[in-house]
Amino acid sequence: KAGVTQTPRYLIKTRGQQVTLSCSPISGHRSVSWYQQTPGQGLQFLFEYFSETQRNKGNFPGRFSGRQFSNSRSEMNVSTLELGDSALYLCASSLDPPQDTQYFGPGTRLTVL
Amino acid sequence: GQQLNQSPQSMFIQEGEDVSMNCTSSSIFNTWLWYKQEPGEGPVLLIALYKAGELTSNGRLTAQFGITRKDSFLNISASIPSDVGIYFCAGQQSGNTPLVFGKGTRLSVIA
């Protein structure tokens, strides 16, 4: 069974631009969660989608948004990029229930210059 | 946002030694998870704990769910070079709430 895939793996953008990251969950998984990982803050929860609906949202500004498609694939978008948005963005999928058994993708490394 | 207190931040140990790390919180969690992350990869689930007092093993790894439900421990016995990586604890308060992560313990094994 293929794992969680994320594209692209690496991305370089400049301040003010926007970016879209993609996540394909494990086949059959309907829940997709997004996390931001930085050396200073660690892993911070962004949002979770289930059946195309945002079910949970972390404490991030409105520049961070996401969506989920009918095939459970998910995208997240960051608009008006800031230097501090440089991070590893991780996607995790899970069956529902149990919500807790989350399987992570390799992440997208975003660098904002 | 909410975060778990994980310690130690880093460890340098000799191959063959046992390792212990822990995670504490001021809040109660109903699920505790331990993940390992290697460079260039996402975290990989090692052990999941669902019940206070539960002790679960996965090969040389053993984890415990604290009785107060506010802490968890991970032990690695007889460490080997491939144990190198960052170990994260994560807690979940209920089935549909997001995971909360510790900041990780970076493990280095000296052969």
Side-chain angles (χ1 to χ4, degrees):
Chain A
K1 202 181 221 182
V4 178
T5 57
Q6 291 187 245
T7 56
R9 290 293 309 275
Y10 302 92
L11 207 48
I12 299 175
K13 292 284 187 179
T14 56
R15 279 182 299 174
Q17 288 188 307
Q18 74 163 17
V19 67
T20 299
L21 313 181
S22 180
C23 171
S24 293
I26 292 171
S27 177
H29 285 194
R30 297 166 65 195
S31 171
V32 173
S33 297
W34 288 90
Y35 296 85
Q36 180 194 65
Q37 186 177 27
T38 59
Q41 296 300 315
L43 276 147
Q44 300 282 326
F45 172 75
L46 280 156
F47 26 65
E48 184 230 347
Y49 286 87
F50 175 74
S51 291
E52 303 178 65
T53 301
Q54 188 179 85
R55 188 159 64 175
N56 282 297
K57 188 177 190 308
N59 190 25
F60 278 81
R63 300 185 297 106
F64 291 81
S65 63
R67 59 178 177 168
Q68 186 179 32
F69 302 95
S70 58
N71 62 357
S72 294
R73 191 176 69 84
S74 177
E75 289 182 346
M76 69 162 280
N77 184 78
V78 188
S79 62
T80 320
L81 284 166
E82 300 177 0
L83 295 179
D85 296 334
S86 294
L88 181 67
Y89 289 88
L90 291 160
C91 162
S93 76
S94 64
L95 288 167
D96 187 87
Q99 159 79 2
D100 53 325
T101 312
Q102 294 191 7
Y103 298 88
F104 283 83
T108 294
R109 171 75 62 188
L110 172 64
T111 302
V112 182
L113 303 176
Chain B
Q2 190 178 20
Q3 204 150 45
L4 302 176
N5 300 311
Q6 186 171 350
S7 64
Q9 285 187 352
S10 62
M11 303 180 75
F12 289 84
I13 61 167
Q14 294 279 349
E15 184 178 357
E17 287 186 354
D18 296 344
V19 173
S20 289
M21 57 191 79
N22 70 80
C23 221
T24 61
S25 170
S26 56
S27 305
I28 286 174
F29 286 91
N30 289 313
T31 299
W32 283 92
L33 307 168
W34 286 91
Y35 287 87
K36 179 187 177 188
Q37 186 175 26
E38 297 184 31
E41 314 235 344
V44 173
L45 182 65
L46 299 173
I47 293 180
L49 302 158
Y50 304 108
K51 197 174 169 183
E54 181 181 354
L55 188 72
T56 297
S57 293
N58 178 6
R60 293 177 295 104
L61 277 62
T62 302
Q64 182 159 25
F65 190 142
I67 291 177
T68 65
R69 291 195 276 160
K70 294 182 178 182
D71 56 10
S72 180
F73 305 87
L74 176 70
N75 295 311
I76 304 173
S77 62
S79 58
I80 58 178
S82 63
D83 290 334
V84 166
I86 304 177
Y87 291 80
F88 291 96
C89 61
Q92 187 178 33
Q93 291 182 313
S94 65
N96 286 329
T97 58
L99 295 180
V100 178
F101 282 84
K103 288 202 172 182
T105 295
R106 184 180 295 273
L107 178 64
S108 301
V109 179
I110 304 165

